[in-house]
């Protein structure tokens, strides 16, 4: 997706299948800001994260892969979040 420090993410779900979630890169201020560190790019939004974790049936935190092939829409490319194989941390996150 070639995400940079100025990019933000917008999320959407398929109206016909609410368990299918997608993300879209934007610079619009309405998008969610990202955090970058050596572990990768992270999103901190309690509602979106909880919704996606609940669909994936994950109780703690997880990393998700994103499809490399976008779905083209009027708003631009949306990438499917692959919820079927969450990557779980080896250790519990420190609170």
């Amino acid at each position: 997706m070639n995400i940079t420090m100025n990019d933000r993410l917008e999320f959407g779900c398929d109206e016909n299948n609410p368990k299918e979630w997608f993300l879209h890169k934007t610079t619009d201020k309405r998008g969610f800001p990202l955090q970058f560190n050596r572990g990768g790019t992270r999103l901190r939004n309690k509602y979106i994260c909880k919704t996606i974790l609940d669909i994936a049936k994950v109780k703690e935190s997880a990393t998700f892969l994103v499809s490399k092939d976008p779905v083209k829409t009027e708003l631009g490319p949306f990438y499917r979040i692959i919820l079927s194989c969450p990557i779980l941390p080896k250790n519990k996150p420190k609170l």
Side-chain angles (χ1 to χ4, degrees):
M1 290 181 60
N2 297 321
I3 297 205
T4 66
M5 296 291 279
N6 295 325
D7 291 328
R8 292 171 172 253
L9 292 180
E10 294 178 316
F11 289 82
C13 67
D14 183 336
E15 292 177 355
N16 297 321
N17 185 359
K19 292 186 177 187
E20 288 283 323
W21 277 76
F22 297 84
L23 54 87
H24 169 73
K25 179 174 79 168
T26 184
T27 55
D28 190 314
K29 295 295 182 198
R30 291 179 294 168
F32 295 105
L34 301 170
Q35 295 180 340
F36 295 86
N37 63 29
R38 62 186 164 99
T41 306
R42 291 182 168 38
L43 168 75
R44 293 194 185 258
N45 179 283
K46 191 173 186 175
Y47 175 78
I48 294 289
C49 292
K50 181 175 179 351
T51 300
I52 290 173
L53 289 171
D54 286 349
I55 291 168
K57 296 183 172 83
V58 174
K59 296 198 183 297
E60 299 288 331
S61 65
T63 299
F64 294 94
L65 299 174
V66 176
S67 172
K68 66 179 180 175
D69 299 318
V71 174
K72 297 187 186 333
T73 72
E74 295 173 357
L75 300 173
F78 276 75
Y79 294 83
R80 186 172 64 86
I81 302 170
I82 302 170
L83 299 177
S84 60
C85 55
I87 301 167
L88 304 175
K90 291 181 182 175
N91 300 317
K92 282 190 162 187
K94 294 178 183 176
L95 301 176

